[in-house]
Every structure is written in C-alpha cells, then in structure tokens.
Amino acid sequence: MSRASVRSPPFRIRAHGVETASVLVIIKRAIDVIVAVVLLVILAPVLAAVAIAVRVNLGAPVLFRQQRPGLHGLPFVLVKFRTMRDSTNREGHLLDDAQRLTPFGQLLRATSLDELPELWNVLVGDMSLVGPRPLLMEYLPRYSATQRRRHDVRPGITGWAQINGRNSTSWEARLDQDVWYTDHRSLLLDARILVRTIRQVLVADGIAQPGHATMPRFLGSGESR
C-alpha cells in the first residue's frame, strides 16, 4: 500500500467536515432570514406599542444603538429599545447603569421586549437567532485565545449561556459556555436553545447580578467590577 493511499482518508474526513460546516452555515442563515421576516411581520404591532411606550416613559431616541463585535470580531451596530435614562452626575458623566435603569426599563428587560429590534440585525446578517451574545468592543483585547473563539460564529439574540444562568453566572463560566456552543453548534442544539429561551423569558430568571443592571464589567479572566 502506498504512502499516499494511507494519508488520503484523513484528508477526506477533514474536507467532509469543512463541507458539512459550510452547509450548516447556509441552512442556519436561511432559517435566520425566514424566521426574522416572519417575526418582524407578526410582531409589528408589539414593536409599535413598545416604541410608543419607550417614547412616553424615556423620551427620544426610542432605539439604543451601539457598536458591538460580530463575526470574527468585526464591528456592527446593535439595535435595541432603550431601557435607561441619560442621567449624568455633576461632572456630566453618565451614571452607572443600575442608577439609570428605570422600573419601565427593568420590565422591558425582564420580558426581553427590549431585544426585539435585534431581529433587524438578524435579517441583515449582523446576528443570528442563536449564538453568543454580542458584548462590548472594549472586551476584545481582554479575551484569552480560547475565549476569543466565541467570535468564530455570528452573535445571537439568545444562546447557550442565556439558558444556563444568563447574567447570574461568572464571566469565566459564561464565556466557557459561549466557546462550548461554538464547538458543538448544530441545528438541533439551536432548536433546543430557542425552546428553552421561551421558558427563560417566562420565568424572568438570571436577568442581573445584585447591584448591577446586568453584570459587572469584564476586565479579563478572574477580574470584573
């Protein structure tokens, strides 16, 4: 038996793996687009009602826009409903998130209604229905090499970490869950996550850590404030 024939099977396995991953990405993207379009149409009255409520309770602008890292860490503009006031201290600096978060904003977060505009991000390809949540741009240089792999996939509206503790876990645990999803993603896993997300929203579990609007800031492995 020749050396070439011995080495050829592993090569075909690797090629098959790449091909399978590519098919998964295509199918997942198609599902994202279809579901996003359907939900944007069905939920249009809800989106309008929430937009009016935000305008009445918090004023303009209705939408919160912020640059976040997407696939491969490339920036995109995340769109959500506002949940905080623009309150500042005497020096003109914004107050902490927990101080600016209103009861109305807490309600939006508890019901995840503030996330609905992200369906637009899904539709245009910035995000997926399921994937690691898009965090802050400033966190990128603080990730370890392993943690950085969470950006090998599109960020999602919900994800594995969101149904396994959400914001009540440590940063290390949450980022580990993001990487686990990246390594084990499948259409079946996405379906499981979406179903469990519905339960998570209904029980309003793991929304925030005590004393924080969501979680303390991530400063690197083992550090947060």
Side-chain angles (χ1 to χ4, degrees), residues 18-28:
V18 171
E19 181 180 350
T20 301
S22 299
V23 172
L24 173 62
V25 170
I26 294 172
I27 296 176
K28 181 178 171 70

Side-chain angles (χ1 to χ4, degrees), residues 21-179:
S22 299
V23 172
L24 173 62
V25 170
I26 294 172
I27 296 176
K28 181 178 171 70
R29 177 64 188 142
I31 293 173
D32 283 342
V33 171
I34 294 171
V35 174
V37 169
V38 171
L39 289 181
L40 283 170
V41 172
I42 293 176
L43 298 176
V46 177
L47 286 161
V50 174
I52 294 172
V54 172
R55 182 68 175 84
V56 170
N57 286 273
L58 299 176
V62 168
L63 296 175
F64 169 79
R65 293 181 174 87
Q66 187 178 55
Q67 196 174 74
R68 299 286 180 93
L71 181 64
H72 306 312
L74 298 176
F76 73 97
V77 178
L78 177 79
V79 183
K80 299 173 61 173
F81 282 122
R82 279 182 63 207
T83 58
M84 299 182 188
R85 296 190 183 279
D86 294 327
S87 304
T88 59
N89 57 23
R90 293 180 180 178
E91 288 74 33
H93 302 299
L94 286 174
L95 298 175
D96 292 339
D97 289 354
Q99 295 176 279
R100 296 187 293 120
L101 184 63
T102 66
F104 170 72
Q106 289 178 330
L107 175 62
L108 289 184
R109 291 191 175 199
T111 56
S112 294
L113 288 172
D114 63 317
E115 310 282 0
L116 289 181
E118 291 173 31
L119 288 169
W120 173 256
N121 288 121
V122 173
L123 182 61
V124 299
D126 296 327
M127 296 178 60
S128 177
L129 293 172
V130 179
R133 285 293 296 163
L135 301 176
L136 299 179
M137 293 295 296
E138 66 188 72
Y139 292 174
L140 287 176
R142 302 173 189 171
Y143 294 140
S144 67
T146 299
Q147 292 168 344
R148 200 170 295 117
R149 289 200 294 110
R150 70 190 301 279
H151 290 291
D152 288 349
V153 297
R154 282 188 177 92
I157 294 180
T158 186
W160 186 245
Q162 278 56 57
I163 63 170
N164 286 284
R166 202 171 177 180
N167 293 323
S168 63
T169 60
S170 67
W171 274 114
E172 286 70 23
R174 178 174 176 174
L175 296 175
D176 283 347
Q177 289 166 351
D178 288 342
V179 174

